Amino acid sequence: MNHCTRAVAGLALLASGIAAGTPALASGEVNIYSYRQPFLIQPLLDAFTKETGIKTNVVFSNKGLGERIAAEGENSPADVMMTVDIGRLDGAKQLGVTAPISSDVVSANIPAEFRDPDGEWVGLTSRARIIYASKERVPQDAITYEELADPKWRGRICTRSGQHSYTLGLIASMIAHHGEEKAEEWLTGVRDNLARKPTGNDRAQVKSIFAGECDISIGNTYYMGKMETNDKEPEQKEWAASVKLLFPNSEERGSHVNLSGVVLAKHAPNRDNALKLIEFLTSHDAQAIYAETNFEYPVTPGIEASERVKSWGTLKPDSLPLADVAKYRKAASELVDRIGFDDGPAS
């Protein structure tokens, strides 16, 4: 069964439980709502099933899963929700669809800075929000986020939508560091330096650098690994080979990082299995899988990044508390709209 078929089968299973008015109660399974694409998490779920015998049912969506759990209420079949970005983790908590994760195993595996103070979410991996730069047209090997507003980059920057969760996280971190007024000046400068309207995903920005449409872009580190190893679309290897990674502010506060993480659903019908899955995902074995197959930074101490990830450069993570990033996300979203960031460079 391929990943898409598995996801569809999981969706049918969960939907049948909802239609019957009762959640799925089979003791040998765990139901996962996931913002993370199936191919990214399947190696982990396969390893979990092999170790525990517990079957995993996955429903994937790129939006609305927290709201779906809220709408389903006590009849929700969801046991856990896997997601990316502190905003969605905190958002699930604010929606009231999470339950405290009480586990000595999780507490021992994951440092406190990657766990919600109230236990409502747990971080699983981190990814740095860095700069992809043309090897041919960008001679410098160091950069800061603040520098992106410098007029020397006029017409040279590509990025995805300002309202995307990854972008909002970076903007929120700038608000936390500099205040809203300075952050607005900065983002306005970045907008005016754009080569075009924000569009596409992180890989599309690297493609644009390869095509000569821009010289630098903002993106997550792990996309580099996905492009470098993409045998199905080998042109992505060419995109990756055309750029180098610059880790912003590495000589100062460090680079902005975002999380992938997991929450325990408030009305999880298979709570024990859900906790087993969460504990497994924080284990050394699972963290090593994350590092090698997803090119992400493990958050469990003692597990190193893969050799490929290390080859991109040294990450010094920004020590800004993730709670501060979450706190300013609404202000970041309002700022994006206020300056018309997604309209592209001002005329």
Side-chain angles (χ1 to χ4, degrees), residues 266-285:
K266 184 176 183 179
H267 301 292
N270 303 295
R271 184 174 298 265
D272 289 346
N273 289 346
L275 282 173
K276 289 178 182 177
L277 174 62
I278 294 171
E279 289 176 346
F280 173 80
L281 293 173
T282 70
S283 70
H284 282 213
D285 287 346

Side-chain angles (χ1 to χ4, degrees), residues 79-81 89 98-107 110 114-124 261-266 271 274-279 281-282:
D79 292 309
V80 301
M81 183 176 77
L89 291 169
T98 62
I101 298 169
S102 180
S103 166
D104 291 339
V105 172
V106 172
S107 297
I110 305 296
F114 298 119
R115 290 184 276 117
D116 177 58
D118 301 318
E120 303 290 330
W121 54 260
V122 172
L124 297 175
V262 63
V263 304
L264 173 65
K266 184 176 183 179
R271 184 174 298 265
L275 282 173
K276 289 178 182 177
L277 174 62
I278 294 171
E279 289 176 346
L281 293 173
T282 70

Side-chain angles (χ1 to χ4, degrees), residues 143-325:
I143 200 168
T144 66
Y145 295 114
E146 289 78 4
E147 185 186 329
L148 298 179
D150 190 315
K152 77 175 185 178
W153 297 112
R154 188 64 52 89
R156 301 176 68 188
I157 300 176
C158 289
T159 188
R160 70 195 307 163
S161 169
Q163 291 294 356
H164 190 273
S165 60
Y166 297 152
T167 313
L168 289 177
L170 174 58
I171 298 169
S173 76
M174 295 296 285
I175 294 174
H177 280 298
H178 300 295
E180 290 194 42
E181 183 177 344
K182 290 293 184 182
E184 181 166 349
E185 291 178 9
W186 169 78
L187 192 62
T188 300
V190 177
R191 179 204 65 194
D192 292 344
N193 286 342
L194 295 177
R196 52 166 169 73
K197 291 183 178 181
T199 186
N201 58 23
D202 284 1
R203 295 192 215 202
Q205 315 312 317
V206 179
K207 179 182 180 181
S208 291
I209 294 175
F210 173 76
E213 297 170 3
C214 52
D215 293 339
I216 62 174
S217 70
I218 306 169
N220 279 349
T221 43
Y222 74 95
Y223 285 108
M224 187 66 162
K226 294 300 181 184
M227 290 184 290
E228 287 180 336
T229 59
N230 194 332
D231 293 325
K232 292 183 178 180
E233 300 176 78
E235 65 272 15
Q236 292 194 15
K237 295 182 179 181
E238 294 185 73
W239 305 349
S242 73
V243 299
K244 57 187 174 182
L245 271 61
L246 306 183
F247 290 79
N249 301 80
S250 58
E251 299 299 320
E252 307 165 10
R253 65 176 182 270
S255 303
H256 172 65
V257 297
N258 55 56
L259 283 180
S260 75
V262 63
V263 304
L264 173 65
K266 184 176 183 179
H267 301 292
N270 303 295
R271 184 174 298 265
D272 289 346
N273 289 346
L275 282 173
K276 289 178 182 177
L277 174 62
I278 294 171
E279 289 176 346
F280 173 80
L281 293 173
T282 70
S283 70
H284 282 213
D285 287 346
Q287 290 282 298
I289 293 173
Y290 269 123
E292 290 296 331
T293 64
N294 286 352
F295 312 109
E296 295 175 304
Y297 294 93
V299 295
T300 297
I303 305 298
E304 295 187 356
S306 71
E307 291 303 314
R308 183 180 296 276
V309 172
K310 290 179 183 178
S311 73
W312 302 334
T314 301
L315 170 64
K316 177 184 176 182
D318 189 342
S319 59
L320 181 72
L322 290 169
D324 285 353
V325 176

